[in-house]
DNA sequence: TAAAATGAGTTAAACGTTTAAATGAAAAGG
DNA sequence: CCTTTTCATTTAAACGTTTAACTCATTTTA
């Protein structure tokens, strides 16, 4: 592997001048520059990453910590982040934490202390606010989770889950449903709590008593959605139309299949509304009404923000709320 | 950030001795060692990644280049690779190439020349054999794609797609289907070609003429599967039971929905068999018969192999063929 | 008892960059 | 015509490690 030294020798200049043409931070005589460029070309020279990182205290790497790469929702955000980061010379290091807050913390601490990355993006972390290290010196963006209450210098990019679940409740109520249920995610997922809250509060404003709303907390999977829905149907006596807000599309799909299996009619008897709008939601039978979290916009925002912050280290952290959209299809 | 120098000063030793306890390559007096360990603890010392990388010519990073992170199939493999790499002190750099051979080549060349990674894993690359750079000095593992014909020093981990699609054909034939079709992937995906080949060859051995097998080549998506299946149904006159091999589960799902929409009965009139066995295949209506590519085994194998090769640089490259399994469910 | 071997630790060079400070030739100023 | 300024380039230090070569005290060997 050719080094800057080899280039300098071949071009008959000093290392410093070669460095100057590489970084472009100083003027160098066009002739000299051409000679150096040619030498670099000839030797297929590529600057050594580690040397540069050591000297500049910059690794041109960004960590992305996410709960489950198998979930297309996170995949879409990651892909969208990459689409903007690709245009810079940063690389993404990806860590799948298997939905474990402990693994999130381990990964976070590792990246903070070893300085192998220049910035960190955490997508939908489950770690409790007060367990986040307070001495984080590099840009940290928290995605798909609302701004923390406790003091910090993190950036946030998220959709307003309170508002969206309120819209969902309102839509269900307006569609003539009389009884209501909610199958929400695990209690350690902040957004699962917020969605439940927004749904219930709004229904209450519509005159539905909170204690009449059946609530199940469970994981975001097909099986758990199926299971929870079965349980609701076997518990509740549906005399009137029942609306169920399932706070993730994948679980909503499970719920739909459970309803079908019990021989009930979707929409006529039991309405289902999901959350996220992942790629298959429009293909379900019936197509799932759900709230779209715009993964593409989020990713682009996050990518742009972190590059900005890396560019200008004393740029302030920011909080961005992105607008989602209720996708009305045919399940409620 | 504390450096090795600070640790040495606090422990009242030389930096070399500190380095010796860090690397563990030389014996150091237990007392001294304890003192140093304590100092490291007190200063929350973490070795600087870049310095180490520069000196040792090792970055403790592995690149993973894959076509589409949004596809759970690739996500599962990645996750499984990570599960083993996590136990070492390597990190994964992930690049999504958007199914573009050009982007694959760009990413590959970048990683080869900048030495920011110590090894490369390519999952299901579409790049033509002869376009792979020949001067790759680091371990390269190619996953889910058969061994190249041309000379190289790459490792391969894959399932025998010829054999599995042969099994599929045989199963379809034995199940009493009389007419046959195949909806396979893009022509630049080697496995799509192989699956088609295995299917057709085996049917031919069963006495089905190749020219009687309807073939459509299209992308691996729900929409394309739906589209292709609709086309087949509107073209072919089904007097006898039709078996369709759709070479990816996601497209197979689309195909199922198309059959339903046309008012035909799955299995009785049109049988569908998929490929991959991704997470939702068992939940489809009817549950999809498909060939399971064991993403977990593959990932573990790949992770183990690359760590082995990084450990011992003059270890030979290897070729591993992993056994998959026909998952018989209810769609054919 | 002198010479050789061992053991634990230190010194200093090296990895490949960037960059502040130094150089020295040419241009501008008085 | 000598002094100052400007400009392109070079010299050398620095980033934080690892490691080969060295040191020096202690133990072993003959």
């Amino acid at each position: 592997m050719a080094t800057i030294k080899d280039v300098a020798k071949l071009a008959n200049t000093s290392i410093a001048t070669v460095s100057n043409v590489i970084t472009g931070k100083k003027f160098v005589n066009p002739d000299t520059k051409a000679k150096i460029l040619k030498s670099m070309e000839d030797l297929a020279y590529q600057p050594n990453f580690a040397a540069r990182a050591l000297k500049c205290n910059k690794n041109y790497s960004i960590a992305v910590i996410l709960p489950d790469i198998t979930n297309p929702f996170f995949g879409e955000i990651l892909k969208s982040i990459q689409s903007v980061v690709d245009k810079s010379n940063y690389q993404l290091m990806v860590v799948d934490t298997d939905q474990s807050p402990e693994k999130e913390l381990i990964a976070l601490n590792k990246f903070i202390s070893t300085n192998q990355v220049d910035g960190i993006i955490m997508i939908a972390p489950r770690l409790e606010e007060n367990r986040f290290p307070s001495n984080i010196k590099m840009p940290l963006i928290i995605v798909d989770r609302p701004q923390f209450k406790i003091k910090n210098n993190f950036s946030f990019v998220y959709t307003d889950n309170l508002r969206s679940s309120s819209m969902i409740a309102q839509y269900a109520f307006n569609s003539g449903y009389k009884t209501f249920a909610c199958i929400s995610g695990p209690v350690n997922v902040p957004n699962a709590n917020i969605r439940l809250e927004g749904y219930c509060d709004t229904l209450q404003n519509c005159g539905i008593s909170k204690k009449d709303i059946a609530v199940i907390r469970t994981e975001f999977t097909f099986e758990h959605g199926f299971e929870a829905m079965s349980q609701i149907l076997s518990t509740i006596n549906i005399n009137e139309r029942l609306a169920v807000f399932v706070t993730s599309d994948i679980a909503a799909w499970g719920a739909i299949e459970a309803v079908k299996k019990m021989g009930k009619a979707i929409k006529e008897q039991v309405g289902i509304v999901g959350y996220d709008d992942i790629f298959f939601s429009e293909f379900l039978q019936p197509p799932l009404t759900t709230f779209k979290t715009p993964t593409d916009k989020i990713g682009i925002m996050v990518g742009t923000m972190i590059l900005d912050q890396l560019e200008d280290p004393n740029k302030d952290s920011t909080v961005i709320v992105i607008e989602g959209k209720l996708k009305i299809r045919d399940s409620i």
Side-chain angles (χ1 to χ4, degrees), chain A:
Chain A
M1 201 89 310
T3 74
I4 198 173
K5 225 168 169 175
D6 303 319
V7 176
K9 191 183 288 176
L10 185 60
N12 220 342
T13 63
S14 73
I15 299 182
T17 309
V18 177
S19 179
N20 286 337
V21 355
I22 295 170
T23 62
K25 289 186 185 167
K26 269 193 166 179
F27 178 88
V28 356
N29 184 296
D31 289 355
T32 319
K33 187 169 177 178
K35 221 168 35 178
I36 289 174
L37 254 18
K38 169 111 177 42
S39 303
M40 295 193 346
E41 181 84 31
D42 288 354
L43 295 170
Y45 168 76
Q46 285 285 134
N48 178 293
F49 233 76
R52 200 176 249 187
L54 175 60
K55 182 69 217 205
C56 304
N57 208 20
K58 243 181 168 234
N59 280 66
Y60 290 97
S61 303
I62 299 166
V64 181
I65 301 174
L66 43 73
D68 180 14
I69 192 62
T70 274
N71 183 331
F73 178 72
F74 299 126
E76 283 173 21
I77 295 180
L78 177 59
K79 194 162 182 151
S80 173
I81 294 174
Q82 196 198 297
S83 75
V84 1
V85 169
D86 263 356
K87 288 169 201 141
S88 74
N89 35 29
Y90 282 84
Q91 284 292 331
L92 299 181
M93 311 213 89
V94 175
V95 177
D96 182 319
T97 57
D98 248 329
Q99 301 166 323
S100 148
E102 275 62 42
K103 287 192 188 172
E104 286 174 2
L105 190 55
I106 291 171
L108 191 55
N109 276 325
K110 182 170 177 181
F111 284 126
I112 291 168
S113 56
T114 63
N115 64 2
Q116 68 184 305
V117 298
D118 308 311
I120 303 175
I121 296 168
M122 291 186 86
I123 306 181
R126 298 189 175 194
L127 192 63
E128 293 96 320
E129 279 190 34
N130 55 24
R131 294 181 69 195
F132 275 74
S134 52
N135 59 340
I136 303 182
K137 295 280 178 22
M138 59 183 84
L140 170 62
I141 303 186
I142 294 181
V143 185
D144 195 31
R145 172 168 171 169
Q147 195 175 0
F148 290 2
K149 303 254 181 331
I150 62 179
K151 190 180 162 347
N152 64 67
N153 61 335
F154 312 152
S155 291
F156 293 84
V157 176
Y158 62 100
T159 54
D160 185 345
N161 279 240
L162 200 65
R163 207 171 95 86
S164 48
S165 45
S166 171
M167 285 168 67
I168 284 169
Q170 197 65 57
Y171 183 77
F173 184 81
N174 292 347
S175 303
Y177 289 86
K178 299 298 177 197
T179 55
F180 299 86
C182 182
I183 298 173
S184 193
V187 291
N188 69 345
V189 177
N191 271 341
N193 300 327
I194 296 171
R195 288 172 200 172
L196 177 60
E197 183 188 339
Y199 183 70
C200 292
D201 284 358
T202 303
L203 286 177
Q204 198 169 30
N205 290 342
C206 295
I208 309 295
S209 168
K210 262 193 190 179
K211 64 179 197 314
D212 291 339
I213 303 171
V215 172
I216 294 186
R217 305 299 298 262
T218 188
E219 278 294 334
F220 290 135
T221 69
F222 181 96
E223 293 93 324
H224 286 92
F226 188 97
E227 189 53 47
M229 191 69 227
S230 304
Q231 197 182 320
I232 287 177
L233 289 178
S234 64
T235 313
I236 300 180
N237 201 349
I238 327 179
N239 304 321
E240 297 172 306
R241 292 174 74 205
L242 169 68
V244 185
F245 174 27
V246 190
T247 67
S248 80
D249 280 6
I250 180 80
W253 181 16
I256 285 180
E257 296 303 334
V259 172
K260 285 191 203 163
K261 186 155 196 178
M262 297 291 245
K264 308 287 179 195
I266 300 278
K267 199 169 178 176
E268 284 71 29
Q269 294 178 281
V270 182
I272 304 276
V273 52
Y275 203 102
D276 281 346
D277 193 28
I278 59 181
F279 78 98
F280 60 64
S281 300
E282 59 175 312
F283 304 129
L284 297 177
Q285 299 299 335
L288 182 68
T289 294
T290 188
F291 193 88
K292 181 177 185 64
T293 304
T295 51
D296 47 352
K297 271 190 213 157
I298 291 178
I300 289 169
M301 197 67 230
V302 170
T304 310
M305 274 169 64
I306 198 130
L307 290 181
D308 279 359
Q309 293 187 24
L310 291 171
E311 188 76 11
D312 176 9
N314 40 17
K315 183 148 195 158
D316 278 346
S317 59
T318 26
V319 175
I320 304 273
V321 181
I322 298 220
E323 289 284 308
K325 194 181 163 189
L326 185 59
K327 285 277 187 182
I328 296 171
R329 292 200 267 249
D330 212 27
S331 63
I332 197 163

